[in-house]
Amino acid sequence: MKKILVIVALAMVSFANAQKGTFLVMGSIEYNSQNGSGQGSETKSRSFIFSPKVGYQFHENWTAGIEGGIGTSKTELTTTEYSKSKSDFFSLGGFLRYSKPLNQTFSAYVDLGTGFTNQKNTSINGVNSSDNKANGFYVGLTPAIFINVDKGFGLNFNIGGLRYNNYDYEDGINVVKSFNFNFGKAFSVGVSKNF
C-alpha cells in the first residue's frame, strides 16, 4: 500500500518555480498506520488524506487559487468489548502564495489558506453507535521549500505551520475551536508543476 501511495504521489505533477501567467497544479497524499497491543487489548489506527491545489500565478512572486482536502481516519479497539471510531472530513477553500526563488534549484514560499470544512464522526461501542456531524471553517499558514527537479517540476517540503479550525456541531450545543502550532513537529512532502 505504501509503495502505491508513493507512486501516485510521484505521478502527480506541478511546477512551483514558475513564471507570471502560468497555472500551478500540486498535491500531497498522507497515509498513517499504527498498531498496538498490551494487557488484553489491541488497537489499530489508519488515516488517509489527499490535498490538491490549483492556482494561477498572477505575478512573479504571487499565486492565488483553490485548495481542497478529503480524508478519513479509523480506530479499532479490541478488548472484552469491541469499539470503533471513524472520522471523515472534507474541505474546500482558497489560498494565496508568496514565493521567493533562492537560486535556480531552491525556492521558499508560504501559503495562506482559508475555507469551509465538514466533518462526520461515527462511534461504535459494543452494540451502540452514534453519529456526530459538524460544519466550520479553517485558516492555515504553511511555510515550505520547493526543490526544482526538472524544468519546474519539483518537490515541496514543509515542517508544519499554523492552523485554526472552528467546528459547529449539528446538535446545536457543541462548538470546537482548535489552534495548532506544529512547526517543527510535522513533515510533509508534495509534488507540483506549473503549466
Side-chain angles (χ1 to χ4, degrees):
M1 180 68 172
K2 291 180 183 176
K3 289 180 183 178
I4 292 171
L5 293 176
V6 170
I7 292 169
V8 170
L10 292 176
M12 298 168 53
V13 295
S14 103
F15 290 174
N17 199 10
Q19 297 176 355
K20 179 180 173 182
T22 60
F23 288 93
L24 168 75
V25 177
M26 70 177 291
S28 63
I29 295 174
E30 179 182 332
Y31 176 76
N32 292 309
S33 175
Q34 188 174 16
N35 294 328
S37 62
Q39 297 184 0
S41 67
E42 185 177 333
T43 305
K44 295 180 183 178
S45 299
R46 309 279 184 272
S47 68
F48 176 80
I49 301 170
F50 173 59
S51 305
K53 288 185 180 185
V54 178
Y56 179 73
Q57 187 161 357
F58 61 90
H59 183 272
E60 289 180 8
N61 301 100
W62 293 94
T63 303
I66 58 172
E67 64 182 4
I70 188 166
T72 187
S73 66
K74 298 176 186 178
T75 301
E76 297 179 20
L77 175 63
T78 305
T79 55
T80 55
E81 193 173 90
Y82 175 79
S83 67
K84 177 181 175 181
S85 64
K86 180 181 176 185
S87 295
D88 297 312
F89 84 90
F90 170 79
S91 65
L92 182 64
F95 75 94
L96 182 65
R97 170 178 293 183
Y98 177 78
S99 61
K100 182 71 175 169
L102 304 174
N103 56 37
Q104 288 188 346
T105 305
F106 295 97
S107 295
Y109 68 88
V110 62
D111 282 355
L112 173 64
T114 185
F116 165 81
T117 185
N118 174 274
Q119 182 173 321
K120 178 183 177 184
N121 303 315
T122 303
S123 297
I124 300 171
N125 192 356
V127 294
N128 300 319
S129 68
S130 64
D131 287 335
N132 204 354
K133 297 178 183 177
N135 293 319
F137 69 92
Y138 70 92
V139 177
L141 186 68
T142 308
I145 296 290
F146 170 77
I147 299 175
N148 186 12
V149 176
D150 183 33
K151 298 179 183 176
F153 168 78
L155 299 174
N156 302 291
F157 295 91
N158 79 62
I159 54 171
L162 300 171
R163 186 170 174 105
Y164 174 79
N165 291 301
N166 185 316
Y167 284 105
D168 191 5
Y169 284 86
E170 287 185 348
D171 60 13
I173 300 169
N174 293 320
V175 175
V176 176
K177 298 176 183 179
S178 65
F179 178 77
N180 299 314
F181 176 78
N182 62 358
F183 191 74
K185 295 183 179 181
F187 178 77
S188 70
V189 178
V191 294
S192 61
K193 176 141 180 89
N194 275 77
F195 296 94

